């Protein structure tokens, strides 16, 4: 117990010590039979109790180890659930708010530009109604993958809610954000196999807003992107609208 041996090792050591005693007592010391029996009984009893204690300690340690492993895994799952959207695997809205606020703070400190895109699947309700919600969920997952494959390294993609996605573009001017949005709309129109099973490939509309055009808070960015998205949706499907000095404009692809 003091040396913290495992049960198997403790059993081998205890048995070995008893055998050594028996050999020495019988062959070398010629120990009387009554003394030999008494000492052997004592040694066997002590070793049995030691083995039992060792087994109990080892079982307890394994139980504790398993509990800690399960707790660690559960903690990781909770952390993942608190940061990721379970359907698409993208960062969730809570993370979006935090990262957006951090970017706004950075903009206030050193004037670093940034842009944001609010992306909406056109006629998503019609997909759910025609093909079912499971198909709608699969379309959301494929859309998330298509968006993630289009953005640049360092850009952050979030599930905003429902059929809307949000992309944060650090160190990006509004014009560059517009170009990326146009490329994303074009890519989405052409990624064919990603919408396999749907007769009409759904389109996306994007509203783009930038921190370098007077926005001062995270809510300002979201509001500007939301207004731009509204203008894009009003103009038709597959459009990009950009907030510039309060006057969004769209471009049809």
């Amino acid at each position: 117990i003091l040396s913290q041996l495992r049960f198997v090792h403790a059993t081998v050591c205890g048995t070995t010590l008893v055998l050594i005693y028996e050999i020495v007592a019988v062959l070398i010391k010629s120990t009387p039979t009554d003394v030999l029996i008494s000492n052997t009984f004592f040694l066997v009893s002590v070793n049995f109790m030691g083995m039992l204690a060792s087994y109990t300690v080892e079982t307890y340690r394994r139980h504790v180890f398993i509990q800690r492993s399960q707790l660690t895994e559960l903690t990781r799952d909770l952390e993942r659930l608190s940061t990721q959207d379970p359907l698409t695997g993208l960062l969730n809205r809570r993370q979006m708010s935090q990262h957006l606020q951090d970017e706004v703070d950075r903009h206030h400190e050193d004037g670093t530009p940034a842009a944001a895109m609010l992306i909406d699947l056109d006629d998503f309700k019609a997909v759910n109604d025609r093909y079912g919600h499971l198909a709608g969920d699969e379309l959301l997952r494929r859309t998330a993958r298509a968006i993630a494959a289009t953005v640049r390294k360092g850009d952050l993609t979030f599930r905003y809610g429902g059929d809307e996605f949000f992309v944060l573009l650090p160190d990006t001017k509004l014009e560059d954000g517009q170009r990326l949005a146009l490329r994303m709309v074009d890519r989405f129109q052409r990624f064919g196999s990603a919408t396999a099973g749907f007769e009409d490939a759904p389109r996306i509309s994007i509203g783009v807003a930038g921190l370098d055009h007077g926005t001062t808070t995270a809510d300002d960015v979201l509001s500007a992107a939301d207004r731009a998205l509204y203008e894009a949706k009003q103009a038709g499907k597959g459009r990009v609208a950009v907030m510039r000095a309060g006057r969004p404009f769209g471009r049809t692809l």
Side-chain angles (χ1 to χ4, degrees), residues 1 12 31 42 45 65 70-71 73 75 77 81 89 128-129 133 142 153 177 181 209 234 240 245:
I1 295 175
V12 171
T31 305
F42 172 78
S45 299
F65 176 78
Q70 292 175 339
L71 180 60
E73 184 177 353
T75 301
D77 290 341
L81 289 175
N128 273 337
D129 292 341
H133 289 282
R142 292 175 178 180
K153 183 179 181 180
Q234 288 295 105
V240 173

Side-chain angles (χ1 to χ4, degrees), residues 141-161:
R141 283 190 287 266
R142 292 175 178 180
T143 301
R145 290 196 294 268
I147 294 173
T150 305
V151 298
R152 308 157 305 177
K153 183 179 181 180
D155 296 338
L156 299 173
T157 306
F158 308 86
R159 170 89 180 279
Y160 187 70

